[in-house]
Amino acid sequence: SNPAFIIISLLYFWIAAGVLYSSDAESAQRVLVLKIPLLAWPLALAGTENRFQFNHKRLLKAFSLSAVVSALLLLCLATWRFAFQQQADAFFFKSLFVWEMVPAHYLSLYFSFAAGLCLHHGLLAWRMSKRNISIIWWICLLLLLVVVGLSGIRIQWIAMPLVLLTVMVHHLRRKPNLLKPAAILLALGAAAIFFSPEFHRRLKVSVIEWKAMRGDAAEQYQTNPRYYLWKHGLSVIEQKPWFGHGTGGGTDALNRSLEGETATFWNGEASIPLNSRHYNLHSSYLQHLADHGIIGIILFLGLFLLPLIRPPCRGLPVESLIFLIVCGTSFLTESMLPRQAGLFVFA
């Protein structure tokens, strides 16, 4: 009776079916085991619903505060390395995100989600006249905004404004007199990102990438391999559009296609031949198309669209909407679900 769980189940069994015709059997089996939480988490929560009360709101508050603590520790470590080790780039990009078990793109997704939750909790407390509590939540929000601004993860600079605007519209529709504090927070958030030195550096890099894609002779290098990965990825998808290359097979087909690619990209230190490394498609949507075809991408998109279009879900909690926006945006430029850091949180 639960269409959402039916879609999750169909997606997992379609992934399992993809193991049978994948060109990379070893990777296919690994991915199948890795994605067990996609089915197990919803099943476990539904199966224990009558045995204990699962407080989602308390869990999300704990997640938000843990993200704030993580961000604060990262800034403290960066300050120590800058002051005592003379590391000039300690506050930027991968030098800032030093947790070995969680790559920078995944950690920035967590921070964007937590920032949306902090804004939501702060505005909710303000509506309940709990001014001191709301100010604490907004301080946490500004800390996360600073870290995301320093991170250099450009897709989160798109996701973050979308999240903040969604939360503000949600609360302003219920209490219009929140416009002043909401506008102040939005201005501070924009300033935290815009005045970050990393924002301006990455903006210049984006211009270089665009010129390189246009074949501008003045630009000697391409700084983003995604241009080539997506170009070859689309040709891989065209080969088997309906069923894909099988679980893990899309990545295998991509790297076979890249063997004849002569392009190089600049990683900040040297020009790297594109065919010298092993890549995935760096987009969860293209990854599902390449692995599982049109059928797989329909099931995958169903996980995002069903909560928005199904009548009983018209009153979708704003926390769920924040998560859908952050994941939906982040998945554009990263294949986050072949790793536990992305799959476990999404499940």
Side-chain angles (χ1 to χ4, degrees):
S1 63
N2 188 333
F5 185 70
I6 291 174
I7 289 181
I8 292 173
S9 301
L10 288 174
L11 178 60
Y12 185 78
F13 288 122
W14 189 249
I15 292 170
V19 175
L20 301 177
Y21 60 92
S22 174
S23 59
D24 189 348
E26 183 178 350
S27 294
Q29 294 172 17
R30 180 186 61 81
V31 170
L32 184 63
V33 173
L34 176 72
K35 295 199 174 184
I36 287 177
L38 189 65
L39 187 64
W41 261 117
L43 185 61
L45 293 176
T48 56
E49 185 178 10
N50 296 327
R51 290 182 170 83
F52 70 95
Q53 293 296 319
F54 185 73
N55 195 320
H56 294 81
K57 294 187 182 297
R58 185 176 298 174
L59 177 64
L60 290 174
K61 285 183 179 180
F63 174 85
S64 304
L65 293 175
S66 66
V68 171
V69 171
S70 178
L72 184 60
L73 287 174
L74 289 174
L75 288 175
C76 290
L77 290 171
T79 301
W80 185 85
R81 294 197 309 276
F82 180 79
F84 298 103
Q85 296 182 349
Q86 286 77 49
Q87 185 178 344
D89 62 346
F91 290 97
F92 306 117
F93 198 37
K94 292 182 179 180
S95 297
L96 175 63
F97 289 178
V98 295
W99 305 142
E100 293 184 4
M101 299 298 292
V102 186
H105 287 86
Y106 297 82
L107 193 57
S108 63
L109 182 151
Y110 302 165
F111 287 162
S112 292
F113 179 44
L117 293 175
C118 288
L119 177 60
H120 168 60
H121 293 315
L123 290 174
L124 196 61
W126 190 274
R127 286 168 55 185
M128 299 169 64
S129 298
K130 298 179 180 179
R131 300 293 193 261
N132 293 335
I133 294 177
S134 65
I135 290 173
I136 293 173
W137 279 115
W138 292 341
I139 291 173
C140 293
L141 167 64
L142 292 176
L143 177 66
L144 291 170
L145 286 171
V146 168
V147 173
V148 171
L150 294 172
S151 70
I153 310 297
R154 288 171 287 184
I155 194 65
Q156 297 308 324
W157 296 342
I158 297 174
M160 183 69 79
L162 292 176
V163 166
L164 298 184
L165 285 172
T166 299
V167 175
M168 289 178 181
V169 169
H170 171 83
H171 284 277
L172 287 172
R173 289 172 62 184
R174 287 155 179 79
K175 198 166 185 178
N177 62 357
L178 285 173
L179 181 59
K180 185 176 180 180
I184 293 173
L185 287 171
L186 185 62
L188 290 174
I193 293 177
F194 181 77
F195 290 107
S196 164
E198 188 67 5
F199 175 79
H200 294 278
R201 186 188 73 82
R202 297 289 277 178
L203 192 61
K204 292 178 181 177
V205 167
S206 299
V207 173
I208 292 174
E209 292 171 359
W210 175 252
K211 289 182 177 179
M213 281 190 286
R214 294 176 57 189
D216 193 329
E219 302 300 336
Q220 301 300 315
Y221 51 78
Q222 170 63 270
T223 57
N224 195 333
R226 286 178 181 81
Y227 169 68
Y228 305 106
L229 299 181
W230 292 346
K231 181 176 70 172
H232 284 268
L234 289 173
S235 66
V236 164
I237 291 167
E238 289 175 356
Q239 295 170 11
K240 297 182 178 180
W242 285 102
F243 300 100
H245 294 262
T247 303
T251 299
D252 186 47
L254 172 67
N255 285 280
R256 289 200 306 271
S257 177
L258 288 173
E259 289 177 358
E261 177 62 68
T262 59
T264 62
F265 77 97
W266 181 260
N267 70 347
E269 298 176 355
S271 290
I272 307 296
L274 203 69
N275 57 14
S276 66
R277 296 185 177 183
H278 190 81
Y279 293 96
N280 58 39
L281 277 85
H282 277 63
S283 169
S284 293
Y285 305 109
L286 293 180
Q287 192 74 51
H288 274 79
L289 269 171
D291 284 347
H292 312 299
I294 293 174
I295 297 174
I297 193 63
I298 290 174
L299 292 172
F300 181 60
L301 291 176
L303 296 178
F304 289 91
L305 298 178
L306 185 65
L308 302 177
I309 63 177
R310 185 170 170 236
C313 295
R314 284 177 180 168
L316 188 69
V318 67
E319 299 94 335
S320 300
L321 195 55
I322 293 169
F323 187 73
L324 290 174
I325 292 172
V326 172
C327 286
T329 308
S330 301
F331 288 176
L332 287 169
T333 58
E334 290 294 331
S335 297
M336 289 186 160
L337 299 183
R339 283 193 179 190
Q340 284 185 346
L343 190 281
F344 200 78
V345 172
F346 185 70

